[in-house]
Structures are given as structure tokens and as C-alpha cells.
Amino acid sequence: MDSNNFNFEKVMVVDDAEIDRFLAKKVLTKHAFAKEVLPQDSAMNALSYLSENQENKEALPDLIFLDINMPKMNGFDFLEEYKKLPESVKKKCIIVMLSSSLLPEDRELAMNNPYVCQFLNKPLTADKLKDVANP
């Protein structure tokens, strides 16, 4: 595996389920999709990270895999707060909703959000990574 041949420098995985974060990180590193994975166990922590690093473009993720169903603040709540971040953050980060939800309205709501480029069902797989890398 060529270490210079990653699809993305940094990828953030926002998911309250530890097993889902673990599996996502495994798939992302195994398939050289991300040079660095930034796991976040809540939408609030992810927003804090983005906010704290808004002036440091190098620290920002290129891609965010965002779970929908999380306690306290779900993926859609995250998107509401995300839109308040500076343009520099929003231009750098691509958001992919990653969910176990099979509800058509979740997919529709996600895809109607200007910051979401794709909606994928869990789990993250090599084929799904190819779809993200080559939309």
C-alpha cells in the first residue's frame, strides 16, 4: 500500500456508537482512504473540533462521515449548527451522511441539505468508499 496514495488527508467519523467508529476507522485505513481518521463520539464534540480548528486549515477534515441517529444532537441538528461555521470550514469539508436509517425521509432530508453530498447506509465498506471517492 502506497502511503502517499490516500484519497483524503483527514476524515472525521461522527458516530455515538463505538463499534461503528472502530469499524469505519478500520475500513478507512485498510483501503488507504484516509491518511488520518478523526473519530468523534458526538455531534457536539465534532462541532467543537471544527470550531476550535477553523483557523487551522491543515487540522480540518476533508471529509466528514456523519451519523444521523445520535443522542442529544443528531446529524440534522449538527448540520443546523454547521451552517453557522465560517465559509473556510464549509468549503474544506465534504459531508457524507452515514446511517442505519432506512427511512426515505431521512435520505431526502439529508440530500436536500446543501452541505451533504451523499447518503450511505451503514456499514462503511470498500465499495461505498469507491462511490465516495468517485461520485
Side-chain angles (χ1 to χ4, degrees):
M1 183 186 315
D2 180 1
S3 62
N4 296 326
N5 202 18
F6 291 97
N7 288 318
F8 295 97
E9 269 305 299
K10 288 185 187 348
V11 173
M12 180 181 280
V13 177
V14 185
D15 199 315
D16 61 308
E18 187 175 352
I19 188 71
D20 288 336
R21 289 192 311 275
F22 174 81
L23 292 173
K25 184 173 183 173
K26 214 68 175 146
V27 170
L28 292 168
T29 51
K30 179 181 179 188
H31 297 287
F33 190 80
K35 189 172 184 179
E36 184 180 349
V37 179
L38 306 168
Q40 298 291 328
D41 63 1
S42 74
M44 281 98 59
N45 288 347
L47 285 166
S48 292
Y49 179 92
L50 295 173
S51 191
E52 288 163 15
N53 290 286
Q54 64 187 3
E55 302 299 323
N56 181 3
K57 198 173 178 185
E58 301 304 309
L60 292 172
D62 305 296
L63 181 72
I64 300 171
F65 284 109
L66 178 63
D67 185 26
I68 291 177
N69 297 314
M70 295 182 282
K72 294 188 183 129
M73 178 185 271
N74 69 27
F76 295 117
D77 297 332
F78 170 94
L79 292 170
E80 278 304 304
E81 293 302 312
Y82 179 83
K83 73 180 179 187
K84 299 174 188 172
L85 291 171
E87 282 304 311
S88 56
V89 174
K90 295 182 286 195
K91 279 188 168 68
K92 172 96 161 72
C93 306
I94 300 165
I95 298 178
V96 174
M97 295 296 268
L98 186 62
S99 182
S100 53
S101 171
L102 299 175
L103 298 174
E105 52 268 28
D106 278 350
R107 176 182 291 275
E108 188 177 329
L109 194 56
M111 293 313 298
N112 285 331
N113 187 290
Y115 305 112
V116 175
C117 71
Q118 278 180 294
F119 183 99
L120 300 174
N121 287 318
K122 289 180 184 179
L124 206 48
T125 63
D127 286 339
K128 289 176 185 169
L129 291 180
K130 285 180 193 155
D131 290 344
V132 172
N134 306 303

